[in-house]
Amino acid sequence: MVQLNGWIEFQRMNKFITLRDAYGSTQLFISDNRTDLIEIIKDLPYESVICVVGMVNMRPEGQINKKMKTGDIEILVDSIKVLNKASEHLPFSIRQFNKAKEVTQMKYRYLALRYPEIQKNLRIRSKLLMKMREYLINECDFVDVETPTLFKNTPGGAQEFIVPTRHPGKFYSLVQSPQQFKQLLMVGGIDRYFQIARCYRDESARHDRQPEFTQLDIEMSFVDQEGIIDLIENLLKYSWPETITTPFKRLTYEDAMKLYGTDQPDLRIPYEIQYLTKFVNMATLEKDMKLTNSKDCEVCALVFPNKCKYLTRSVREEFNDIKNKYFPTVKLFQIKTLDNSWKLQLEKLFSTKIAEDIIRTLNLNIGDVLFLTVGPKLNSQKLLGKFRIEFTNVLENNNLKIRSPGYNFLWLINFPLFEVNESQLLESMHHPFTQPHPKDMKYLETEPEKVRGLHYDLILNGSEIGGGSIRIHDTNLQKQIFKMLNINEKQLSHMLEALSSGAPPHGGIALGLDRLLCILCNAEGIRNVIAFPKTIEGRDLMSEAPVPIPTEVQELYHIKIIDERSNI
Amino acid sequence: MVQLNGWIEFQRMNKFITLRDAYGSTQLFISDNRTDLIEIIKDLPYESVICVVGMVNMRPEGQINKKMKTGDIEILVDSIKVLNKASEHLPFSIRQFNKAKEVTQMKYRYLALRYPEIQKNLRIRSKLLMKMREYLINECDFVDVETPTLFKNTPGGAQEFIVPTRHPGKFYSLVQSPQQFKQLLMVGGIDRYFQIARCYRDESARHDRQPEFTQLDIEMSFVDQEGIIDLIENLLKYSWPETITTPFKRLTYEDAMKLYGTDQPDLRIPYEIQYLTKFVNMATLEKDMKLTNSKDCEVCALVFPNKCKYLTRSVREEFNDIKNKYFPTVKLFQIKTLDNSWKLQLEKLFSTKIAEDIIRTLNLNIGDVLFLTVGPKLNSQKLLGKFRIEFTNVLENNNLKIRSPGYNFLWLINFPLFEVNESQLLESMHHPFTQPHPKDMKYLETEPEKVRGLHYDLILNGSEIGGGSIRIHDTNLQKQIFKMLNINEKQLSHMLEALSSGAPPHGGIALGLDRLLCILCNAEGIRNVIAFPKTIEGRDLMSEAPVPIPTEVQELYHIKIIDERSNI
């Protein structure tokens, strides 16, 4: 005799019941002569919870269900106890073939959690995190340290949520990452720290972001870039459910932009950007095309061999819209090498000789798609980088297999330390604690844009899943960087004092677990690997949070709500 | 040759250096002829970070230091590289015998973290949590699920921090525990959930509380009280660094109040409250003593045999103050059985006959301390329960060993489901989701104060370290309880809907890890087992959080600060 507790997923003829529990489904069988059981089951709503006792029998020959894990057995029911009757009218039923809309799933999340996919994803998540902990603690002697989330606002970086306190006018900020704490732990002599840390960012709506998210946060003392890269490769190798090959490929930021037009290249796509500038007389071209800013103009090309028929009118229009919206300074030519008009077009653009050089270089044949750009280098790269992804999606939506299968990990290294913002001021490309590349220290005062940082990003299948750096451990260098970035050092005086208290050389990394799991689980979005996700607007549809608060709570925290609507 | 990285803790004669790293200290030795090394070391401030290469040698016979783990060896230094020079004037040095004040330690927490005690505590914490995870995931198939901390306010319970959003007038609340989520996970079919969860409470200052804290949060489906108790005992047995004996003792709430005057009894203390009411004519006594509320008056006693000399005048005064402040309705007699006056006092209070009965019952001898109370039962119990702890502390401060050694775990069961508040309204003793005891369902409508809840607390050495319950899974019962508690069911409609969607019977528990670790590490307070603690007022002395925020951030979140000071 076995006992099973679970949910009635389905029944037919008051005879065959599919009972679902946390581990899968099992078929129950009620004998025709057990009218007592039939009486219990016949009007019991689906999703009611029952406790069943019965005998495990092999199913009769013709009734074996090979699609079901337990498809070769059934339980001959001896007794049924109804533990909790479900309501007759649930918002949706738990059937894979007729899934509820995402908003409905979010409103009744406790029901959606019963979908086998979400059950599976949450279990994979739990297991992966456990393997990571095992590797770090048991194999590498790391210390799991919990750091506060109620802290002080960090200058620069993302918008942080604020938390009013009973001290009038004084607020905590919810940390956007444990960055400061992990560095302070290094100063404090916890030389191998990790934490699976909750982080908070109040950033604008994006599909793969949540107001709170989780990262695997790591920091080590007496380590260099190779040490961190090595650790992470071994960590992933240890914890990943499938075999992965190390070492991972590496690309410099410069090469990534050059070949793929992005710092998150998806190397599963075989196409690369090519450069034709050397064949061309740029001066003539600029005049012909009336290019305004000719300083760093390039002629770039991206070829999709033999994919002509997928460049339909609507795709072309969509691609033109992208260009016009985001990269208006780039001239774009979308060419199908189908009849002979394309050669004439190239000859007209350049010259016969140059057109021939280009055709030879790009190895163009009949039936290819050629995206050709003339314009400022960076924008041309980014535009073609975007087409590289988008046109691959077009091809895959047409059932072509372009991306190679499996998990493609990639390190991106040698990022610039700074970027220049719209006001022509320096900003950190990542954060102000990143150590400049030792070979570029000589440019720090004179040509800061040329300085690379000891920063590294980890890319998986074209998504950034992690990033880190070797940090500055010298107080004076840190002060200099704050100054260059117009950061008031008083706001970070505790960090400067810590660096002058015997700070070891140190570095670290953080992996974004939601996105990592989304890729590992092959989920549609990160909301499918999170138990209780919020909408892009940050709403919890189940409880309706955020909600209004009573006046007395406002008074407790010394705040008053300003409602613009009341000012009309 | 070995290489060591670490901090210079101490040096003498430019010859002997104590190098400290995350794992302990090692003595370095510099030969007199290595003037180059002496040059490096002679003015190097303590706490500077160096990298040393050298040979491991046994120390000469007379120089072995048995108090030091590495006391039988030293490193003959071959080279020293200064990795980061520390400032000359650090706020304090890392010497055990001259510890900095706690506020100083908190302001320079990155220095305080270098104290061996805090290093040790953080490592014990990391290891204990890992063992707990191993047991739950690897041995018992639990799923580690992360639940949101930004949620909706929960009616009743502790004051929750609020988080303004960009939606005008709408706020998240930071969860005080994952209570709702864990129950919703059960409804969702994750039948064995745990999480090491960050929780938030904005409660009044108390020494062992932090605005954010961590709990091991557990919930199971298809389980009863015995199942949870069994799981936790095995979990602690598996993860505790020392051997502990299971099953733990159990006490009902009623017995705990009766014998120890508290629901967190410390069973390491051998003294128990005794009851003398049966010997006494209460009617006479009440008249004599002018007791007003005589309904549930009791005569209670707590005896400390042969401890007369520790009941000094100042202790008596302090104890009288406690009584007057917290339990003014109780009559208290602090008696030393030293000369014969105490017998007369008892005879005068009662009668000769009754005094004899009392002396015989309490087995009083010369030299004892007797605390005798007359008054309302509950307050008398609480007062004597307090004296039981406080007088034991007095004795132990006088170097007597009263508490038995080791870890004394205890389950407290059969709590009342409700308590009656000052406005004579029912309140949950724990929370409104607790299942009433099946045997007491008959009293629910008529005598709710008599109803026990299926709640259990775990006590360790007289501190509550955990609590949990079997939850209500029936919608109608839950509605009835909400009504009895004056909770507007609309605020929790998602919970009611979830219960009617096929909720399995379920229950769980949460262990407060900060307090648990404080006891395990034998730390002075929970701040010694937390990497970055806040003061009782919720301040982070290092960063000075909480801090004022700029006007534009107030505008972003549609709030305005009301500063009472500006209204003067």
Side-chain angles (χ1 to χ4, degrees), chain A residues 84 114 146 149 166 172 200 202 214 473 501 503 538 557, chain B residues 84 114 146 149 166 172 200 202 214 473 501 538 557:
Chain A
N84 206 357
R114 294 182 192 163
E146 298 157 64
T149 57
R166 297 182 193 218
Y172 297 120
Y200 301 84
D202 185 17
T214 312
H473 64 269
S501 308
Y557 292 119
Chain B
N84 206 357
R114 294 183 193 162
E146 300 157 62
T149 56
R166 297 182 193 219
Y172 297 120
Y200 301 84
D202 186 17
T214 313
H473 63 269
S501 308
Y557 292 119

PDB file of all heavy atoms in Angstrom, chain A residues 84 114 146 149 166 172 200 202 214 473 501 503 538 557, chain B residues 84 114 146 149 166 172 200 202 214 473 501 538 557:
ATOM      1  N   ASN A  84      -8.728  19.210   1.378  1.00  0.00           N
ATOM      2  CA  ASN A  84      -9.218  20.576   1.186  1.00  0.00           C
ATOM      3  C   ASN A  84      -9.866  20.672  -0.191  1.00  0.00           C
ATOM      4  O   ASN A  84      -9.212  20.464  -1.212  1.00  0.00           O
ATOM      5  CB  ASN A  84      -8.075  21.588   1.316  1.00  0.00           C
ATOM      6  CG  ASN A  84      -8.562  22.959   1.760  1.00  0.00           C
ATOM      7  OD1 ASN A  84      -9.767  23.180   1.916  1.00  0.00           O
ATOM      8  ND2 ASN A  84      -7.636  23.880   1.953  1.00  0.00           N
ATOM      9  N   ARG A 114       1.995  26.071  -9.798  1.00  0.00           N
ATOM     10  CA  ARG A 114       1.763  24.631  -9.994  1.00  0.00           C
ATOM     11  C   ARG A 114       2.128  24.160 -11.395  1.00  0.00           C
ATOM     12  O   ARG A 114       2.215  22.960 -11.624  1.00  0.00           O
ATOM     13  CB  ARG A 114       0.281  24.310  -9.719  1.00  0.00           C
ATOM     14  CG  ARG A 114      -0.102  24.524  -8.270  1.00  0.00           C
ATOM     15  CD  ARG A 114      -1.556  24.151  -8.025  1.00  0.00           C
ATOM     16  NE  ARG A 114      -1.992  24.626  -6.713  1.00  0.00           N
ATOM     17  CZ  ARG A 114      -3.260  24.749  -6.352  1.00  0.00           C
ATOM     18  NH1 ARG A 114      -4.229  24.418  -7.200  1.00  0.00           N
ATOM     19  NH2 ARG A 114      -3.568  25.191  -5.146  1.00  0.00           N
ATOM     20  N   GLU A 146      26.597  37.978   5.355  1.00  0.00           N
ATOM     21  CA  GLU A 146      25.417  38.784   5.042  1.00  0.00           C
ATOM     22  C   GLU A 146      25.730  40.254   5.305  1.00  0.00           C
ATOM     23  O   GLU A 146      26.199  40.606   6.378  1.00  0.00           O
ATOM     24  CB  GLU A 146      24.251  38.352   5.927  1.00  0.00           C
ATOM     25  CG  GLU A 146      23.836  36.908   5.708  1.00  0.00           C
ATOM     26  CD  GLU A 146      23.101  36.349   6.923  1.00  0.00           C
ATOM     27  OE1 GLU A 146      22.027  36.849   7.236  1.00  0.00           O
ATOM     28  OE2 GLU A 146      23.643  35.417   7.547  1.00  0.00           O
ATOM     29  N   THR A 149      21.164  45.738   3.791  1.00  0.00           N
ATOM     30  CA  THR A 149      20.522  46.321   2.609  1.00  0.00           C
ATOM     31  C   THR A 149      20.050  47.739   2.904  1.00  0.00           C
ATOM     32  O   THR A 149      19.824  48.510   1.981  1.00  0.00           O
ATOM     33  CB  THR A 149      19.331  45.464   2.161  1.00  0.00           C
ATOM     34  OG1 THR A 149      18.427  45.339   3.245  1.00  0.00           O
ATOM     35  CG2 THR A 149      19.784  44.084   1.719  1.00  0.00           C
ATOM     36  N   ARG A 166      12.339  56.980  11.498  1.00  0.00           N
ATOM     37  CA  ARG A 166      11.700  57.807  12.527  1.00  0.00           C
ATOM     38  C   ARG A 166      12.531  59.038  12.859  1.00  0.00           C
ATOM     39  O   ARG A 166      12.082  59.899  13.612  1.00  0.00           O
ATOM     40  CB  ARG A 166      11.496  56.971  13.798  1.00  0.00           C
ATOM     41  CG  ARG A 166      10.559  55.789  13.561  1.00  0.00           C
ATOM     42  CD  ARG A 166      10.338  55.013  14.844  1.00  0.00           C
ATOM     43  NE  ARG A 166       9.693  53.730  14.545  1.00  0.00           N
ATOM     44  CZ  ARG A 166       8.759  53.175  15.310  1.00  0.00           C
ATOM     45  NH1 ARG A 166       8.381  53.759  16.422  1.00  0.00           N
ATOM     46  NH2 ARG A 166       8.223  52.022  14.979  1.00  0.00           N
ATOM     47  N   TYR A 172      17.290  55.834   4.851  1.00  0.00           N
ATOM     48  CA  TYR A 172      18.188  54.813   4.321  1.00  0.00           C
ATOM     49  C   TYR A 172      18.017  54.775   2.810  1.00  0.00           C
ATOM     50  O   TYR A 172      17.001  55.238   2.273  1.00  0.00           O
ATOM     51  CB  TYR A 172      17.812  53.416   4.834  1.00  0.00           C
ATOM     52  CG  TYR A 172      17.907  53.175   6.305  1.00  0.00           C
ATOM     53  CD1 TYR A 172      16.776  52.805   7.027  1.00  0.00           C
ATOM     54  CD2 TYR A 172      19.120  53.248   6.981  1.00  0.00           C
ATOM     55  CE1 TYR A 172      16.835  52.536   8.389  1.00  0.00           C
ATOM     56  CE2 TYR A 172      19.195  52.975   8.340  1.00  0.00           C
ATOM     57  CZ  TYR A 172      18.046  52.631   9.040  1.00  0.00           C
ATOM     58  OH  TYR A 172      18.111  52.352  10.386  1.00  0.00           O
ATOM     59  N   TYR A 200      18.740  46.064  -5.016  1.00  0.00           N
ATOM     60  CA  TYR A 200      17.553  46.874  -5.337  1.00  0.00           C
ATOM     61  C   TYR A 200      17.938  47.992  -6.293  1.00  0.00           C
ATOM     62  O   TYR A 200      18.934  48.677  -6.069  1.00  0.00           O
ATOM     63  CB  TYR A 200      16.991  47.488  -4.060  1.00  0.00           C
ATOM     64  CG  TYR A 200      16.603  46.471  -3.016  1.00  0.00           C
ATOM     65  CD1 TYR A 200      17.551  45.947  -2.141  1.00  0.00           C
ATOM     66  CD2 TYR A 200      15.297  46.018  -2.926  1.00  0.00           C
ATOM     67  CE1 TYR A 200      17.202  45.003  -1.193  1.00  0.00           C
ATOM     68  CE2 TYR A 200      14.936  45.072  -1.977  1.00  0.00           C
ATOM     69  CZ  TYR A 200      15.892  44.567  -1.108  1.00  0.00           C
ATOM     70  OH  TYR A 200      15.546  43.626  -0.170  1.00  0.00           O
ATOM     71  N   ASP A 202      15.852  51.116  -8.561  1.00  0.00           N
ATOM     72  CA  ASP A 202      14.592  51.698  -9.029  1.00  0.00           C
ATOM     73  C   ASP A 202      14.842  52.274 -10.412  1.00  0.00           C
ATOM     74  O   ASP A 202      14.897  53.482 -10.591  1.00  0.00           O
ATOM     75  CB  ASP A 202      14.116  52.779  -8.062  1.00  0.00           C
ATOM     76  CG  ASP A 202      12.746  53.296  -8.464  1.00  0.00           C
ATOM     77  OD1 ASP A 202      12.068  52.607  -9.262  1.00  0.00           O
ATOM     78  OD2 ASP A 202      12.371  54.375  -8.005  1.00  0.00           O
ATOM     79  N   THR A 214      18.708  39.213  -7.483  1.00  0.00           N
ATOM     80  CA  THR A 214      19.680  38.474  -6.682  1.00  0.00           C
ATOM     81  C   THR A 214      20.974  38.331  -7.447  1.00  0.00           C
ATOM     82  O   THR A 214      20.959  38.021  -8.641  1.00  0.00           O
ATOM     83  CB  THR A 214      19.128  37.079  -6.373  1.00  0.00           C
ATOM     84  OG1 THR A 214      17.804  37.213  -5.914  1.00  0.00           O
ATOM     85  CG2 THR A 214      19.943  36.395  -5.314  1.00  0.00           C
ATOM     86  N   HIS A 473      43.131  50.007  -4.433  1.00  0.00           N
ATOM     87  CA  HIS A 473      43.383  49.865  -2.999  1.00  0.00           C
ATOM     88  C   HIS A 473      44.252  50.992  -2.446  1.00  0.00           C
ATOM     89  O   HIS A 473      44.554  51.012  -1.261  1.00  0.00           O
ATOM     90  CB  HIS A 473      43.976  48.492  -2.661  1.00  0.00           C
ATOM     91  CG  HIS A 473      45.329  48.246  -3.274  1.00  0.00           C
ATOM     92  ND1 HIS A 473      45.478  47.661  -4.508  1.00  0.00           N
ATOM     93  CD2 HIS A 473      46.573  48.501  -2.818  1.00  0.00           C
ATOM     94  CE1 HIS A 473      46.775  47.552  -4.779  1.00  0.00           C
ATOM     95  NE2 HIS A 473      47.460  48.061  -3.780  1.00  0.00           N
ATOM     96  N   SER A 501      43.715  52.178   5.859  1.00  0.00           N
ATOM     97  CA  SER A 501      43.878  51.426   7.114  1.00  0.00           C
ATOM     98  C   SER A 501      44.502  50.061   6.890  1.00  0.00           C
ATOM     99  O   SER A 501      44.299  49.145   7.683  1.00  0.00           O
ATOM    100  CB  SER A 501      42.514  51.228   7.791  1.00  0.00           C
ATOM    101  OG  SER A 501      41.849  52.444   7.920  1.00  0.00           O
ATOM    102  N   ALA A 503      44.561  48.328   3.422  1.00  0.00           N
ATOM    103  CA  ALA A 503      43.656  47.612   2.515  1.00  0.00           C
ATOM    104  C   ALA A 503      44.487  46.706   1.627  1.00  0.00           C
ATOM    105  O   ALA A 503      45.415  47.159   0.961  1.00  0.00           O
ATOM    106  CB  ALA A 503      42.876  48.600   1.654  1.00  0.00           C
ATOM    107  N   GLY A 538       6.690  47.448 -11.709  1.00  0.00           N
ATOM    108  CA  GLY A 538       7.002  47.194 -10.309  1.00  0.00           C
ATOM    109  C   GLY A 538       5.787  46.862  -9.465  1.00  0.00           C
ATOM    110  O   GLY A 538       5.820  47.007  -8.248  1.00  0.00           O
ATOM    111  N   TYR A 557       6.790  58.693   9.930  1.00  0.00           N
ATOM    112  CA  TYR A 557       8.031  58.846   9.166  1.00  0.00           C
ATOM    113  C   TYR A 557       8.269  60.277   8.706  1.00  0.00           C
ATOM    114  O   TYR A 557       9.116  60.521   7.856  1.00  0.00           O
ATOM    115  CB  TYR A 557       8.036  57.859   7.993  1.00  0.00           C
ATOM    116  CG  TYR A 557       8.135  56.425   8.474  1.00  0.00           C
ATOM    117  CD1 TYR A 557       7.141  55.494   8.214  1.00  0.00           C
ATOM    118  CD2 TYR A 557       9.233  56.022   9.231  1.00  0.00           C
ATOM    119  CE1 TYR A 557       7.233  54.195   8.684  1.00  0.00           C
ATOM    120  CE2 TYR A 557       9.330  54.725   9.705  1.00  0.00           C
ATOM    121  CZ  TYR A 557       8.330  53.818   9.429  1.00  0.00           C
ATOM    122  OH  TYR A 557       8.433  52.536   9.901  1.00  0.00           O
TER     123      TYR A 557
ATOM    124  N   ASN B  84      50.528  47.611   0.718  1.00  0.00           N
ATOM    125  CA  ASN B  84      49.777  48.831   1.016  1.00  0.00           C
ATOM    126  C   ASN B  84      50.143  49.297   2.419  1.00  0.00           C
ATOM    127  O   ASN B  84      49.912  48.592   3.398  1.00  0.00           O
ATOM    128  CB  ASN B  84      48.264  48.594   0.908  1.00  0.00           C
ATOM    129  CG  ASN B  84      47.500  49.854   0.585  1.00  0.00           C
ATOM    130  OD1 ASN B  84      48.083  50.942   0.481  1.00  0.00           O
ATOM    131  ND2 ASN B  84      46.196  49.726   0.413  1.00  0.00           N
ATOM    132  N   ARG B 114      38.821  42.823  12.005  1.00  0.00           N
ATOM    133  CA  ARG B 114      40.096  42.088  12.106  1.00  0.00           C
ATOM    134  C   ARG B 114      40.280  41.415  13.460  1.00  0.00           C
ATOM    135  O   ARG B 114      41.171  40.590  13.612  1.00  0.00           O
ATOM    136  CB  ARG B 114      41.268  43.053  11.861  1.00  0.00           C
ATOM    137  CG  ARG B 114      41.296  43.581  10.432  1.00  0.00           C
ATOM    138  CD  ARG B 114      42.507  44.486  10.194  1.00  0.00           C
ATOM    139  NE  ARG B 114      42.364  45.222   8.948  1.00  0.00           N
ATOM    140  CZ  ARG B 114      43.050  46.299   8.634  1.00  0.00           C
ATOM    141  NH1 ARG B 114      43.953  46.793   9.483  1.00  0.00           N
ATOM    142  NH2 ARG B 114      42.860  46.915   7.476  1.00  0.00           N
ATOM    143  N   GLU B 146      13.645  32.121  -3.102  1.00  0.00           N
ATOM    144  CA  GLU B 146      13.766  33.520  -2.708  1.00  0.00           C
ATOM    145  C   GLU B 146      12.417  34.203  -2.887  1.00  0.00           C
ATOM    146  O   GLU B 146      11.828  34.130  -3.951  1.00  0.00           O
ATOM    147  CB  GLU B 146      14.814  34.216  -3.570  1.00  0.00           C
ATOM    148  CG  GLU B 146      16.188  33.594  -3.441  1.00  0.00           C
ATOM    149  CD  GLU B 146      17.046  33.908  -4.664  1.00  0.00           C
ATOM    150  OE1 GLU B 146      17.320  35.077  -4.913  1.00  0.00           O
ATOM    151  OE2 GLU B 146      17.403  32.954  -5.379  1.00  0.00           O
ATOM    152  N   THR B 149      11.056  41.081  -0.860  1.00  0.00           N
ATOM    153  CA  THR B 149      11.044  41.862   0.379  1.00  0.00           C
ATOM    154  C   THR B 149      10.226  43.135   0.191  1.00  0.00           C
ATOM    155  O   THR B 149       9.804  43.740   1.164  1.00  0.00           O
ATOM    156  CB  THR B 149      12.471  42.229   0.814  1.00  0.00           C
ATOM    157  OG1 THR B 149      13.108  42.930  -0.256  1.00  0.00           O
ATOM    158  CG2 THR B 149      13.283  40.983   1.122  1.00  0.00           C
ATOM    159  N   ARG B 166       7.606  55.484  -7.536  1.00  0.00           N
ATOM    160  CA  ARG B 166       7.330  56.554  -8.485  1.00  0.00           C
ATOM    161  C   ARG B 166       5.837  56.704  -8.758  1.00  0.00           C
ATOM    162  O   ARG B 166       5.426  57.623  -9.452  1.00  0.00           O
ATOM    163  CB  ARG B 166       8.061  56.272  -9.802  1.00  0.00           C
ATOM    164  CG  ARG B 166       9.574  56.251  -9.629  1.00  0.00           C
ATOM    165  CD  ARG B 166      10.278  56.028 -10.949  1.00  0.00           C
ATOM    166  NE  ARG B 166      11.679  55.698 -10.727  1.00  0.00           N
ATOM    167  CZ  ARG B 166      12.665  56.137 -11.482  1.00  0.00           C
ATOM    168  NH1 ARG B 166      12.430  56.906 -12.520  1.00  0.00           N
ATOM    169  NH2 ARG B 166      13.910  55.800 -11.222  1.00  0.00           N
ATOM    170  N   TYR B 172       5.571  50.486  -1.129  1.00  0.00           N
ATOM    171  CA  TYR B 172       5.832  49.110  -0.710  1.00  0.00           C
ATOM    172  C   TYR B 172       6.024  49.114   0.804  1.00  0.00           C
ATOM    173  O   TYR B 172       6.311  50.145   1.406  1.00  0.00           O
ATOM    174  CB  TYR B 172       7.138  48.567  -1.301  1.00  0.00           C
ATOM    175  CG  TYR B 172       7.223  48.438  -2.785  1.00  0.00           C
ATOM    176  CD1 TYR B 172       8.200  49.135  -3.486  1.00  0.00           C
ATOM    177  CD2 TYR B 172       6.392  47.574  -3.501  1.00  0.00           C
ATOM    178  CE1 TYR B 172       8.334  49.001  -4.865  1.00  0.00           C
ATOM    179  CE2 TYR B 172       6.513  47.435  -4.875  1.00  0.00           C
ATOM    180  CZ  TYR B 172       7.487  48.159  -5.556  1.00  0.00           C
ATOM    181  OH  TYR B 172       7.620  48.019  -6.908  1.00  0.00           O
ATOM    182  N   TYR B 200      12.583  42.595   8.019  1.00  0.00           N
ATOM    183  CA  TYR B 200      12.709  43.997   8.431  1.00  0.00           C
ATOM    184  C   TYR B 200      11.632  44.331   9.443  1.00  0.00           C
ATOM    185  O   TYR B 200      10.462  44.016   9.235  1.00  0.00           O
ATOM    186  CB  TYR B 200      12.543  44.900   7.205  1.00  0.00           C
ATOM    187  CG  TYR B 200      13.552  44.641   6.118  1.00  0.00           C
ATOM    188  CD1 TYR B 200      13.347  43.638   5.185  1.00  0.00           C
ATOM    189  CD2 TYR B 200      14.723  45.389   6.035  1.00  0.00           C
ATOM    190  CE1 TYR B 200      14.279  43.380   4.188  1.00  0.00           C
ATOM    191  CE2 TYR B 200      15.655  45.145   5.043  1.00  0.00           C
ATOM    192  CZ  TYR B 200      15.432  44.143   4.128  1.00  0.00           C
ATOM    193  OH  TYR B 200      16.361  43.897   3.153  1.00  0.00           O
ATOM    194  N   ASP B 202      10.593  47.766  11.982  1.00  0.00           N
ATOM    195  CA  ASP B 202      10.940  49.080  12.524  1.00  0.00           C
ATOM    196  C   ASP B 202      10.378  49.158  13.925  1.00  0.00           C
ATOM    197  O   ASP B 202       9.408  49.873  14.178  1.00  0.00           O
ATOM    198  CB  ASP B 202      10.364  50.184  11.634  1.00  0.00           C
ATOM    199  CG  ASP B 202      10.843  51.549  12.111  1.00  0.00           C
ATOM    200  OD1 ASP B 202      11.826  51.589  12.882  1.00  0.00           O
ATOM    201  OD2 ASP B 202      10.237  52.560  11.724  1.00  0.00           O
ATOM    202  N   THR B 214      18.031  38.177  10.026  1.00  0.00           N
ATOM    203  CA  THR B 214      17.958  37.011   9.154  1.00  0.00           C
ATOM    204  C   THR B 214      17.281  35.864   9.864  1.00  0.00           C
ATOM    205  O   THR B 214      17.574  35.596  11.028  1.00  0.00           O
ATOM    206  CB  THR B 214      19.389  36.583   8.777  1.00  0.00           C
ATOM    207  OG1 THR B 214      20.109  37.736   8.373  1.00  0.00           O
ATOM    208  CG2 THR B 214      19.375  35.598   7.640  1.00  0.00           C
ATOM    209  N   HIS B 473      -5.791  26.087   6.916  1.00  0.00           N
ATOM    210  CA  HIS B 473      -5.880  25.906   5.459  1.00  0.00           C
ATOM    211  C   HIS B 473      -7.321  25.970   4.974  1.00  0.00           C
ATOM    212  O   HIS B 473      -7.580  25.820   3.791  1.00  0.00           O
ATOM    213  CB  HIS B 473      -5.193  24.608   5.025  1.00  0.00           C
ATOM    214  CG  HIS B 473      -5.818  23.361   5.569  1.00  0.00           C
ATOM    215  ND1 HIS B 473      -5.426  22.787   6.751  1.00  0.00           N
ATOM    216  CD2 HIS B 473      -6.809  22.581   5.111  1.00  0.00           C
ATOM    217  CE1 HIS B 473      -6.150  21.710   6.996  1.00  0.00           C
ATOM    218  NE2 HIS B 473      -6.999  21.553   6.009  1.00  0.00           N
ATOM    219  N   SER B 501      -8.149  27.709  -3.222  1.00  0.00           N
ATOM    220  CA  SER B 501      -7.705  27.190  -4.526  1.00  0.00           C
ATOM    221  C   SER B 501      -7.041  25.834  -4.405  1.00  0.00           C
ATOM    222  O   SER B 501      -6.205  25.462  -5.227  1.00  0.00           O
ATOM    223  CB  SER B 501      -6.717  28.166  -5.165  1.00  0.00           C
ATOM    224  OG  SER B 501      -7.239  29.455  -5.195  1.00  0.00           O
ATOM    225  N   GLY B 538      19.273  52.400  15.170  1.00  0.00           N
ATOM    226  CA  GLY B 538      19.224  52.092  13.747  1.00  0.00           C
ATOM    227  C   GLY B 538      20.223  52.890  12.918  1.00  0.00           C
ATOM    228  O   GLY B 538      20.056  53.043  11.715  1.00  0.00           O
ATOM    229  N   TYR B 557       9.805  60.761  -5.687  1.00  0.00           N
ATOM    230  CA  TYR B 557       8.936  59.844  -4.952  1.00  0.00           C
ATOM    231  C   TYR B 557       7.683  60.519  -4.408  1.00  0.00           C
ATOM    232  O   TYR B 557       6.995  59.958  -3.561  1.00  0.00           O
ATOM    233  CB  TYR B 557       9.740  59.149  -3.851  1.00  0.00           C
ATOM    234  CG  TYR B 557      10.768  58.205  -4.431  1.00  0.00           C
ATOM    235  CD1 TYR B 557      12.120  58.383  -4.198  1.00  0.00           C
ATOM    236  CD2 TYR B 557      10.366  57.159  -5.251  1.00  0.00           C
ATOM    237  CE1 TYR B 557      13.058  57.524  -4.761  1.00  0.00           C
ATOM    238  CE2 TYR B 557      11.298  56.300  -5.813  1.00  0.00           C
ATOM    239  CZ  TYR B 557      12.637  56.495  -5.561  1.00  0.00           C
ATOM    240  OH  TYR B 557      13.554  55.647  -6.127  1.00  0.00           O
TER     241      TYR B 557
END
